[in-house]
Amino acid sequence: MLHYVIFRDSRIAILLAVLLAVLSILFLGNGEAKDQQHWAYAPLKRPLVPTLKTASTPENPIDSFVLAKLEEAGLSPSPEAPPRVLLRRLYLDLTGLLPSPKELDSFEVAFQTNPEQARNAVIDQLLASPHFGERWGRHWLDLARYADSDGYLGDTERPWAWRYRDWVVDAVNRDQPYDQFTIEQLAGDLLPHPTPAQLIATGFNRNGLRNTEAGVDLELSRTQEVVDRVNASSTVWFALTVACAECHDHKHDAISQKEFYQLYAFFNNTEILDVDSPFPEEAAEHKAALRAWEKVVSPLEKSLLAYESHHLTDRRVAWEAKLRQVQTDEHWRNLTPTKVLSSAKDDVEIRSDDSIFVTGRGKVDPDTATYTVESMVPTATRLTGIRLEAIGAFGVGRDLGYGAGRGPEGEFVLSQFSATLEIEAEKPRSLVIREIQVDAESETPSNALLDPKTVDGWRVATRTQQSHYAVLTLADAVDVPAGARLVFTLAHKKGGKKTLRHFRLAMTSDKNPTISSDIPDAVREALALAPTARSAEQERLITRFHQVTDPEWQQLRRGFEEQLAKRPRAPETKAQSLVERSTDRRDSFVHERGDYTRKGERVYPAPLSVLHPFHPRKNSGEPDRLDLAHWIVDPANPLTPRVAVNQIWQHLFGHGLVDTSDDFGVVGTPPTHPELLDWLATEFHDNGWSRKALIRKIVQSATYRQSSAIPASYAVRGLSAPANDLLWRQNSFRVDAEEVRDIHLAASGLLSQKMGGPSIRPPLPEFVTEVGRSVKWPVSEGEDRYRRGLYIFLKRTIPYPSLNIFDAPGAETACSRREYSNSPMQALTLLNDPVFFECAQHLGEKLAEQYGEETEAAITELYQRCLGRSPDAAELDTLITAYDDLRKQADHRSALVVTSRIVMNLDEFISRD
């Protein structure tokens, strides 16, 4: 009722707000002087291991810190978990998978002989397992807000996002030191000579949401991406709610709005980039293919060069003499284009030789296109004909050249050609074409160009790297005054991207325009000069024209180019990365009230002042992300190691030593064991930032090995068990969403061990993907559909349902801890989701095949596979009774399938004790 009254009466709401502000100042403080004493910002010092009141001192310092707290509270630690429970716990915590019955038996035997040796051997084995990287890489991907799509309404897929996911798994498996792990993700592109792997690592900055919808405010979208990078980095490495300072100074922590935008400035001059990043095996395979290709193409190249150097040169004198004899008096004058448009919005280049070169926008050629070309006639002339020259170009050396058209083989089909004369103060008049002549390479009658209904027309599909001509003779000569405009329309209707690529228009006043010898005007002009009077360019033109008219050279060149076209393509594998902008650098400003359009004070890159001093690299200009990354992992920084070890502890106990693992600030929960937290942080740093070494130390402790069971004495005495903040026992909790699916697949024998590669799409009901618009979900086939949940395609607008139901986080923001809910929907999912039913079916059929009618043995094996133990007498009796009831309605195999479903639906199966 109070809540209702407050919001109904604005005056009370205002008074309450003022009261809360005053209380905040009184109890939390409002200045840096107060916050600088906050435990999380205090310098990190290695605390002394406490001395216990008991006679014995634990070998593992972790236990000394925990037992000291328990002694103060008058509590006793729990006994060690039974060997099978401990082994199952280690497997789930370190790899996210289950031990096999054989591994359980072997461990139990070894444990009876030498417990410590048995435990350490298993710990080393699991830390060395490639599945360790999959398990702990998944934890990091939560922090990195990893997904396979952009988000928002468009939610465009990111085809190379998985390269970052695989990098994380690999980095965790090879135990990359945490400081280098940090530097490469924040600023891998700024390292000297960055490797492909370091550029992939910088994909951390690319994982956030990206709005690709039409009509989006591009600067607003970019600004939101930069803000996301600031917030994600702050959550991951500082565990501070820096995001609260985007619009105003932080209400509780010593973080000003100016400092938020100083952090923002580190990321404000970045550009996204997809970098070539082939796998080593791809690069090796490509290199071998290039060597094989070179063995074929080199002899052809030598033959062509030898022919050009000797035979072709010897024949040129005779060729020139013969060519002069066939020259005519025909005169063609190039038309200089003043305006060229393409209906397909192609990129159009008007070159200095009056030719027109067309390329598809974004290098994508259109299926059809109509060109409109305007030319100004500079001097009065009499017009009798128009020549259209389609220009191809043989390559030089290993250059493949290009065809006159944009078809797959350089071909083109021009469907329609028309011309209009526009004279000032007169009505435009269409020029009537009487006759069309084309060269011998044309495959269709050229007169089709005059039929507005045809999609065919002038088509050239052979020798496309030479020039080809169409001469259009007018029905009547036309007098064209100076300054008049000629407008030409060239329509391509055939489809198949067979449009003209390179062409030129010319006009003539000759009485009978003809193609004659098909000699380009520039070549004619050069041939008319004495050899000594020709420029180098004119000599080059004559040489090239001589080559393309020589049949033997053409044959050699075509054979050479056929092999050039077979050059092995470089791997197309890429990775999404981010690089620093080198030109047109952006200035950074405080955004007043968080509005990017309201620029306040200008700011420069700088980290949080509440922490240790900042020492950017000398002579590097303005501080950059690499300076920020080095500051984050600076030995003087107390926050980064505390945050990191708390995250690790959290995944091994269900709760961190600081419960609010995403908020180490003033209003966050203080650590239950502050000295232990600092001891772990110094241990982490002093051991070379080794994640595996720290995890080994923790799981070897007696604290970790405790049973999670609540002693029966509490229930007998009618007492409630005390809270476990002081770690008097282990915690029992449900496995993560991905592991719910993984352990079903593992227990059934369906799980694929395949690692890495593109994300998979397990089966989904069709209605799931029909959200606003139809979304393609091509179901993975073969073993891919049984791969681990880590590899499921994470589409932000359509999260995989079972992951969502079992509390997998969204990928909108960095997530440092998952919530654990318990809902009827989870039970229904385990019963009805096709993958869980398939696992039970496969396991039941396998047990029926292995044990036949030995039902008791089959049920015992079922328990060992799923729960890591044998059933007790009551459980065995219950399941055999259930099996007997099922046998009255179904065969032996089906009855065992349903029995498997019963066990797989137990809470114990999806719990880590």
Side-chain angles (χ1 to χ4, degrees), residues 48-107:
L48 294 175
V49 178
T51 301
L52 302 177
K53 297 177 182 178
T54 57
S56 61
T57 301
E59 292 183 6
N60 194 317
I62 293 173
D63 300 324
S64 295
F65 286 102
V66 173
L67 289 171
K69 285 281 188 179
L70 291 177
E71 285 182 348
E72 290 177 13
L75 293 171
S76 299
S78 293
E80 183 168 325
R84 287 175 174 266
V85 173
L86 179 60
L87 186 68
R88 191 174 190 270
R89 178 189 300 169
L90 284 166
Y91 265 78
L92 287 172
D93 281 351
L94 300 188
T95 68
L97 298 175
L98 295 172
S100 68
K102 184 177 179 180
E103 289 167 327
L104 287 160
D105 291 340
S106 297
F107 179 73

Side-chain angles (χ1 to χ4, degrees), residues 619-874:
N619 303 320
S620 62
E622 189 175 82
D624 57 23
R625 283 176 290 116
L626 187 55
D627 292 313
L628 175 65
H630 282 299
W631 177 82
I632 287 175
V633 296
D634 190 309
N637 186 351
L639 206 49
T640 295
R642 283 178 177 141
V643 170
V645 299
N646 189 66
Q647 291 166 355
I648 290 173
W649 186 275
Q650 172 182 260
H651 298 309
L652 295 171
F653 287 87
H655 295 281
L657 294 171
V658 179
D659 193 48
T660 53
S661 58
D662 57 347
D663 188 1
F664 274 41
V666 172
V667 297
T669 304
T672 56
H673 299 71
E675 293 83 8
L676 174 58
L677 179 66
D678 281 8
W679 186 89
L680 289 169
T682 56
E683 184 78 1
F684 188 37
H685 176 269
D686 294 348
N687 279 287
W689 297 93
S690 169
R691 180 189 279 105
K692 288 187 177 183
L694 182 66
I695 292 173
R696 179 183 287 107
K697 178 69 73 174
I698 294 173
V699 299
Q700 285 176 333
S701 69
T703 303
Y704 174 84
R705 302 198 311 268
Q706 292 178 104
S707 170
S708 64
I710 298 176
S713 58
Y714 285 102
V716 170
R717 292 186 296 173
L719 300 175
S720 297
N724 196 33
D725 291 346
L726 298 183
L727 300 168
W728 61 275
R729 64 181 175 90
Q730 249 288 4
N731 292 307
S732 176
F733 47 88
R734 197 199 65 229
V735 299
D736 286 340
E738 293 83 359
E739 275 71 49
V740 171
R741 179 175 175 276
D742 292 350
I743 62 176
H744 274 80
L745 291 169
S748 69
L750 285 172
L751 181 69
S752 166
Q753 302 288 329
K754 182 179 177 183
M755 294 183 62
S759 298
I760 62 164
R761 290 178 169 88
L764 268 184
E766 290 185 4
F767 70 85
V768 174
T769 59
E770 294 175 359
V771 183
R773 62 179 71 180
S774 180
V775 176
K776 293 182 180 178
W777 186 268
V779 175
S780 299
E781 300 296 336
E783 70 168 321
D784 279 353
R785 67 189 290 163
Y786 302 119
R787 295 181 65 195
R788 296 192 66 168
L790 169 73
Y791 301 111
I792 293 176
F793 191 93
L794 296 178
K795 191 167 181 65
R796 281 187 161 102
T797 55
I798 309 175
Y800 190 69
S802 69
L803 299 185
N804 205 29
I805 289 167
F806 284 100
D807 307 313
E812 289 74 30
T813 57
C815 174
S816 69
R817 57 176 178 164
R818 294 188 178 190
E819 301 297 333
Y820 291 95
S821 64
N822 192 353
S823 70
M825 185 62 73
Q826 293 168 353
L828 290 170
T829 299
L830 291 177
L831 280 170
N832 299 310
D833 190 294
V835 69
F836 300 131
F837 180 82
E838 185 178 4
C839 289
Q841 182 179 33
H842 188 269
L843 179 54
E845 291 175 350
K846 178 183 283 189
L847 292 172
E849 182 179 342
Q850 182 176 353
Y851 291 100
E853 296 292 336
E854 297 178 22
T855 307
E856 184 175 327
I859 292 174
T860 301
E861 172 80 5
L862 174 61
Y863 257 63
Q864 293 285 3
R865 281 174 170 267
C866 296
L867 307 181
R869 63 180 180 85
S870 298
D872 60 30

Side-chain angles (χ1 to χ4, degrees), residues 491-530:
H492 308 82
K493 304 177 184 178
K494 183 68 175 178
K497 302 184 178 181
K498 297 177 181 179
T499 56
L500 281 167
R501 181 197 312 273
H502 194 189
F503 63 97
R504 180 166 41 215
L505 291 160
M507 61 181 290
T508 187
S509 57
D510 289 351
K511 292 181 180 180
N512 297 303
T514 61
I515 290 179
S516 70
S517 58
D518 296 346
I519 304 173
D521 295 340
V523 177
R524 286 175 184 269
E525 294 170 4
L527 285 170
L529 298 173

Side-chain angles (χ1 to χ4, degrees), residues 339-483:
K339 184 178 181 182
V340 183
L341 297 174
S342 168
S343 62
K345 302 187 185 303
D346 288 305
D347 293 324
V348 178
E349 176 189 357
I350 299 174
R351 296 187 168 177
S352 58
D353 61 357
D354 298 324
S355 66
I356 299 165
F357 196 90
V358 185
T359 52
R361 177 160 293 188
K363 297 185 179 180
V364 178
D365 292 327
D367 197 50
T368 61
T370 297
Y371 305 153
T372 303
V373 182
E374 296 182 8
S375 297
M376 186 75 71
V377 180
T379 58
T381 186
R382 189 171 179 80
L383 178 62
T384 59
I386 300 162
R387 185 180 70 189
L388 173 60
E389 179 184 0
I391 305 170
F394 275 101
V396 177
R398 296 201 172 193
D399 175 17
L400 280 171
Y402 56 82
R406 292 192 279 176
E409 303 298 329
E411 69 269 32
F412 67 86
V413 179
L414 180 63
S415 304
Q416 191 175 350
F417 183 95
S418 63
T420 302
L421 176 63
E422 296 182 357
I423 301 173
E424 190 174 354
E426 293 186 18
K427 185 178 180 180
R429 53 188 287 199
S430 296
L431 301 179
V432 179
I433 299 170
R434 183 191 74 212
E435 178 188 13
I436 301 177
Q437 305 170 59
V438 295
D439 58 41
E441 307 300 333
S442 299
E443 298 180 6
T444 55
S446 59
N447 284 336
L449 283 173
L450 304 180
D451 183 358
K453 297 180 181 179
T454 187
V455 296
D456 224 324
W458 180 31
R459 180 169 63 191
V460 173
T462 59
R463 299 187 179 180
T464 58
Q465 290 181 310
Q466 298 176 207
S467 290
H468 298 273
Y469 301 87
V471 172
L472 302 94
T473 304
L474 302 185
D476 297 297
V478 177
D479 291 322
V480 181

Side-chain angles (χ1 to χ4, degrees), residues 289-297 398 563-564 566-568:
L290 276 177
R291 286 196 298 266
W293 171 80
E294 191 67 42
K295 289 180 180 179
V296 176
V297 80
R398 296 201 172 193
Q563 292 304 319
L564 285 180
K566 295 177 182 178
R567 179 187 178 93

